Amino acid sequence: MLILGIESSCDDTAAAVLDSTGIRANIVSSQFDIHARFGGIVPELAARNHIEAVWPVVDEALDKAGIAIDGIDGVAATRGPGLIGSLLVGFTFAKAIALVQNIPCIGVDHMAGHLLSVFLGADQPGFPYIALVVSGGNTSLFKVKNYTTFKMIGRTRDDAAGEAFDKVAKLLDLGYPGGPMVSRYAAGGDGTAMKFPRAWLAEDSLDFSFSGLKTAVANYVHKKRQQKKKIRKKNICASFQEAVVDVLVEKTVRACRLENMQTVVLGGGVAANDRLRQCMSERCRREGLELFIPPPDFCTDNGAMIALAGYHLLQAGETTGPDSDVFSRSPLN
Ligand code: KG4
């Protein structure tokens, strides 16, 4: 069975072709250059650029997979959560292909894509597992029972971790997208130089909060600027990153203890962060937990994870009608 997967929830236009043996093509067209000068994503520009990119990206994926559009058995597309204008482009495009080709359309929750992206790599977990999805729009813990059953057990009460990375990068003029830049600066800095706050919340809480940390970094930088003192960007990035990673690792281990689970899976753009990968693996090893992390290309937004989640929904008999709409908030949250 050949599934075409389309992702357009934010600023990447992505398409992939998946068959029963794996990924035949995976194409991502990034809008980094378009949004870089604004220091963040401009929703209207994102939607307009998806319109320009969606057909060429799908065409390239089909071409690389060596098939024509009439060789596809089903088309899966991200239905939400995300920016409404961006979502509408990919989802409407998918519904149109499905109607014209008379094949099923499957609307996929973006979170489900991240929860399952680990199955796109060589190292694959068994069910059930605890998944930490940590991206620009979400920081959530899920209990994953099988390919289509997920239960959210913790989430951020304010900013997502990726959003905090992006805002710290903007504050320090490091460029956009911020996460990879902060991580690069942090690699050359001292993570113990500044003691930024960690929001643990209640003793057994699996929720997150990163707005206090972001404000602490902003206050620190503004004070140094007012005092005309040197801003040690590398140390600030390293200390900020330590604060984020500490909380993500601790809460994930806490989730395993509370839910009596032995397997941890990471997903989402921030899961590409080297320090998070390193600290999570060391801690899981000490706790006797098995850890699975998707290859970095499948941590960030991609069409392959949407095709995979769509394939499993289709197997479960779930398809989406032509009058279905997109959504900005995940029903899984
Ligand atoms: O999953 P994703 O591609 O898009 C969604 O938000 O759904 O994640 C993008 C987020 C951005 O906030 C970006 O700054 C962050 O992931 N990110 C990173 C790294 N690579 C991407 N954050 C920290 N370290 C990284 N290496």
Side-chain angles (χ1 to χ4, degrees):
M1 181 181 280
L2 281 163
I3 302 287
L4 171 66
I6 300 173
E7 154 62 31
S8 71
S9 63
C10 195
D11 59 338
D12 290 318
T13 320
V17 177
L18 205 77
D19 69 13
S20 46
T21 61
I23 306 155
R24 298 240 309 232
N26 186 43
I27 308 296
V28 181
S29 167
S30 159
Q31 298 183 5
F32 286 160
D33 295 346
I34 293 157
H35 301 284
R37 66 194 168 105
F38 302 103
I41 295 157
V42 182
E44 178 64 22
L45 283 181
R48 285 169 190 263
N49 281 281
H50 281 304
I51 293 172
E52 282 180 23
V54 69
W55 181 231
V57 166
V58 166
D59 204 30
E60 192 180 339
L62 292 172
D63 201 41
K64 196 158 177 222
I67 45 152
I69 192 78
D70 54 9
I72 292 290
D73 299 301
V75 53
T78 307
R79 199 174 160 191
L83 302 171
I84 290 297
S86 293
L87 287 163
L88 276 170
V89 178
F91 189 55
T92 309
F93 190 82
K95 287 195 293 183
I97 291 179
L99 270 176
V100 172
Q101 296 298 325
N102 196 24
I103 54 174
C105 174
I106 314 112
V108 173
D109 190 305
H110 185 78
M111 299 299 283
H114 281 309
L115 291 172
L116 299 178
S117 61
V118 69
F119 293 103
L120 297 166
D123 204 13
Q124 303 188 353
F127 293 110
Y129 55 79
I130 293 292
L132 171 70
V133 177
V134 60
S135 67
N138 297 280
T139 299
S140 308
L141 280 161
F142 283 87
K143 195 170 161 179
V144 179
K145 204 168 154 201
N146 56 42
Y147 289 114
T148 53
T149 317
F150 324 111
K151 186 179 164 216
M152 204 205 62
I153 53 174
R155 67 182 162 132
T156 182
R157 294 184 184 175
D158 39 59
D159 293 352
E163 194 180 348
F165 267 94
D166 294 337
K167 284 178 178 163
V168 166
K170 196 169 178 184
L171 182 74
L172 297 174
D173 299 318
L174 301 185
Y176 171 85
M181 293 307 293
V182 169
S183 152
R184 213 166 298 157
Y185 270 70
D190 173 5
T192 61
M194 295 110 198
K195 192 77 189 147
F196 290 130
R198 277 88 168 139
W200 300 112
L201 308 177
E203 199 185 332
D204 273 352
S205 171
L206 297 177
D207 282 351
F208 301 91
S209 168
F210 293 106
S211 70
L213 169 62
K214 178 193 68 188
T215 307
V217 177
N219 288 343
Y220 178 89
V221 172
H222 289 149
K223 203 167 155 198
K224 291 280 170 198
R225 281 184 181 144
Q226 270 171 356
Q227 295 168 340
K228 303 212 175 332
K229 287 199 175 144
K230 185 171 166 58
I231 308 235
R232 298 185 189 280
K233 292 187 182 182
K234 289 182 179 172
N235 285 352
I236 295 173
C237 287
S239 302
F240 159 78
Q241 183 175 263
E242 283 309 297
V244 174
V245 168
D246 271 0
V247 175
L248 293 175
V249 171
E250 187 60 39
K251 298 253 173 180
T252 306
V253 171
R254 188 183 287 182
C256 288
R257 180 171 44 78
L258 292 174
E259 297 289 336
N260 197 20
M261 304 278 261
Q262 303 302 319
T263 308
V264 173
V265 165
L266 299 189
V270 183
N273 182 276
D274 287 337
R275 184 70 181 148
L276 174 62
R277 294 165 90 97
Q278 180 200 357
C279 293
M280 192 69 89
S281 358
E282 283 168 8
R283 183 67 191 277
C284 284
R285 202 175 314 121
R286 282 208 307 277
E287 301 284 339
L289 300 168
E290 267 200 297
L291 174 67
F292 296 84
I293 312 179
D297 281 356
F298 298 127
C299 288
T300 45
D301 289 351
N302 64 87
M305 68 179 193
I306 301 304
L308 182 73
Y311 167 80
H312 288 291
L313 284 172
L314 190 58
Q315 295 292 97
E318 284 191 42
T319 58
T320 314
D323 54 355
S324 54
D325 206 352
V326 296
F327 52 82
S328 60
R329 284 185 180 274
S330 172
L332 295 175
N333 268 355

